[in-house]
Each structure stands twice: as C-alpha cells, then as structure tokens.
Amino acid sequence: MNITEEIKISDNGFVFNSKTGDSFNVNPTGLELIKLIAQNIDFDSIKEIFIQKYDIDDLAFEKDYHEFCAMVNYHQVATTEDPLDFK
C-alpha cells in the first residue's frame, strides 16, 4: 500500500487529495497510521508499533487496520496493486 503523490497531510490530521479535491480529517491514531504507511513501513512493523504503544491485541489491530485501509483506498488516498492486500 502506498500513499499517492496527490495526498497532502497536515500535522493536525487534515488530509487533502489534490487529484479529487476531496478533504477530510483523521484522528491522531489515523494520522499516525497514515504517516507510517507513507514511510513505506511494512504491515508487521506497524502492527508491532501499535501493539507496543496501545492496549490492543493482534486481532483487534488487524481488524482496525484493514477497516482503515479500506477507507483510505475508497477515498483514493492510497493505492495497492492487489485491492484485497492491505499489507
């Protein structure tokens, strides 16, 4: 998964897609997740970071991560070669 070049993300969680003109806000956790994805950090490393930092288990993280990735794909914030592979 890669964050597209058209996406601009502010430090307060404002996300703007210059390709579509769409904008929205993400909460601090979503902002942290987008920034990790933008740095091309792999899924397993992101999962380890979140499990160590937050009180969350593997299953809950994976569910939330996949839901978040589906949302960013829907809003054309990120691209994947395989739309069913969010890693």
Side-chain angles (χ1 to χ4, degrees):
M1 171 175 281
N2 296 311
I3 303 298
T4 61
E5 292 180 13
E6 295 85 9
I7 298 301
K8 304 300 177 212
I9 305 166
S10 73
D11 288 338
N12 64 0
F14 181 76
V15 179
F16 177 69
N17 185 334
S18 63
K19 180 179 176 184
T20 64
D22 293 337
S23 63
F24 56 95
N25 290 304
V26 293
N27 66 22
T29 307
L31 178 61
E32 182 177 2
L33 195 51
I34 283 180
K35 286 183 174 182
L36 291 171
I37 293 168
Q39 295 171 26
N40 293 320
I41 296 177
D42 65 77
F43 170 77
D44 291 329
S45 297
I46 293 173
K47 182 167 84 174
E48 186 175 323
I49 291 167
F50 269 69
I51 288 173
Q52 289 179 359
K53 186 172 182 179
Y54 301 104
D55 185 23
I56 189 168
D57 61 40
D58 284 10
L59 186 60
F61 171 78
E62 290 183 16
K63 175 186 165 288
D64 292 347
Y65 179 83
H66 291 301
E67 286 178 1
F68 185 79
C69 289
M71 185 218 31
V72 295
N73 279 337
Y74 175 78
H75 289 286
Q76 301 177 26
V77 172
T79 59
T80 60
E81 290 182 23
D82 180 355
L84 299 177
D85 183 11
F86 297 115
K87 293 184 178 180

